[in-house]
Every structure is written in C-alpha cells, then in structure tokens.
Amino acid sequence: MNDTPQVSRLVRTAIFVSDLERSVRFYREALGYREVYASGVLEHKAGHALIGVPEDSVIRYEIVKADEINFGMVGLFEVEPSPPPVRRENQGANLGEGCMVFFATDIRAVRDRIVEFGGEIVCEPQLLVVHTLRQLEMTCRDPDGMMINIIDRPAENWNANVAR
C-alpha cells in the first residue's frame, strides 16, 4: 500500500489584482482565457481566512480558463481594501516571485496583444537554444506585475510533449 499523498496537476493560479475588469480583459483578450469557470463575490469567512484578509474585506473574483478542462485556470481576485503591492526591485525575476508559462502559436502577435491590453514587456522574443531545443520565448508582466513567460509553439506541435 502506498501511503504517499497524491497531488494533482496545477488547478489554477490565483492572482490578486488592483482592477478586476482590467485584469479579466487582459487574460481574456491578450492570452485567450475566454471561458469563465466562476465569478462573483467571495462571502464565506473561510475564504477571507485562506487569503489572509480581514473578514469585512470585499473580495470580487473571476476565474477564467482557456478550454473545457478545469486545470490550468487563472483566478483573478480583487480585494477591498486593497492589500499592499508586492515590492519588486527590478524588471527581472525577484526571489519568491512566480512566473506563469504559456505556449502561443504566434508569439509576436501575442506580444502585441499583451502591450495593447496593459501588459509590460520584460524581454522581447529571443531564440532560446538548450541542447537540441530551439524555440522563441519572451517574458512580460500583466497589468499588476505578474511575470509571464510565452513560448512560441507551432499549432502542429501543440499537444506534443515538452522537450526536455
């Protein structure tokens, strides 16, 4: 008998945002997360405890997803009064910071949509070569500073295993 607890693949990333509508628009229009898994106002006090905000805080949310599968979703949470922003020392990575990674069939078109919908480019598309792997990648930040890595992936290779 195996007593090792099992952990699923990533269900969703939760991001605390300053403007829910702006962030929803960014993830829908710039990254194609057009389906809504859930939205509303989080009123259960356990939610406040899990997030670590006072019980009288107002928590509005929308959880978006790219397709019918309920994994890999992005949960956007706006808390009032707003918690303090994460302090970043530079435009690159910071210790303890996360970075979401997405595939895109046309990295340059996605780059332009990211800028159009309020994102910030950290690194323009670059050819990354590691062993036999050769792919275009870029890094950006969403409107509230969440780091995002975009990897160019042709449609014909969309469901192929990620190269190691």
Side-chain angles (χ1 to χ4, degrees):
M1 176 179 212
N2 185 353
D3 291 334
T4 304
Q6 300 297 304
V7 177
S8 74
R9 58 188 162 162
L10 181 68
V11 174
R12 72 177 154 265
T13 296
I15 304 171
F16 299 96
V17 301
S18 61
D19 181 329
L20 184 61
E21 288 74 22
R22 177 184 69 178
S23 293
V24 165
R25 186 170 180 235
F26 177 85
Y27 282 90
R28 282 186 179 168
E29 300 302 325
L31 299 181
Y33 273 58
R34 290 190 172 88
E35 292 188 37
V36 176
Y37 175 75
S39 66
V41 177
L42 184 59
E43 295 176 338
H44 195 281
K45 297 307 176 195
H48 290 74
L50 288 166
I51 294 172
V53 298
E55 286 186 6
D56 62 346
S57 297
V58 176
I59 305 169
R60 295 187 321 124
Y61 68 93
E62 185 156 322
I63 300 170
V64 295
K65 59 185 189 166
D67 52 36
E68 67 281 351
I69 298 173
N70 292 339
F71 285 96
M73 298 179 286
V74 177
L76 304 165
F77 293 81
E78 180 187 85
V79 179
E80 289 295 331
S82 184
V86 172
R87 186 169 169 223
R88 289 186 284 137
E89 295 298 326
N90 59 44
Q91 288 214 340
N94 292 277
L95 189 62
E97 177 177 39
C99 179
M100 295 189 298
V101 180
F102 299 96
F103 291 135
T105 57
D106 184 344
I107 196 169
R108 288 181 175 85
V110 171
R111 179 243 180 259
D112 293 345
R113 289 194 340 231
I114 286 167
V115 171
E116 178 183 352
F117 291 100
E120 171 189 355
I121 303 302
V122 173
C123 178
E124 294 286 351
Q126 303 285 316
L127 180 62
L128 177 66
V129 179
V130 179
H131 304 291
T132 60
L133 176 70
R134 297 175 59 83
Q135 60 193 22
L136 278 179
E137 293 194 28
M138 66 169 286
T139 310
C140 66
R141 292 193 179 275
D142 79 0
D144 283 297
M146 179 70 183
M147 187 177 269
I148 300 171
N149 176 231
I150 306 291
I151 301 171
D152 199 55
R153 182 96 175 210
E156 62 271 12
N157 294 335
W158 195 254
N159 291 318
N161 285 332
V162 176
R164 298 185 217 308

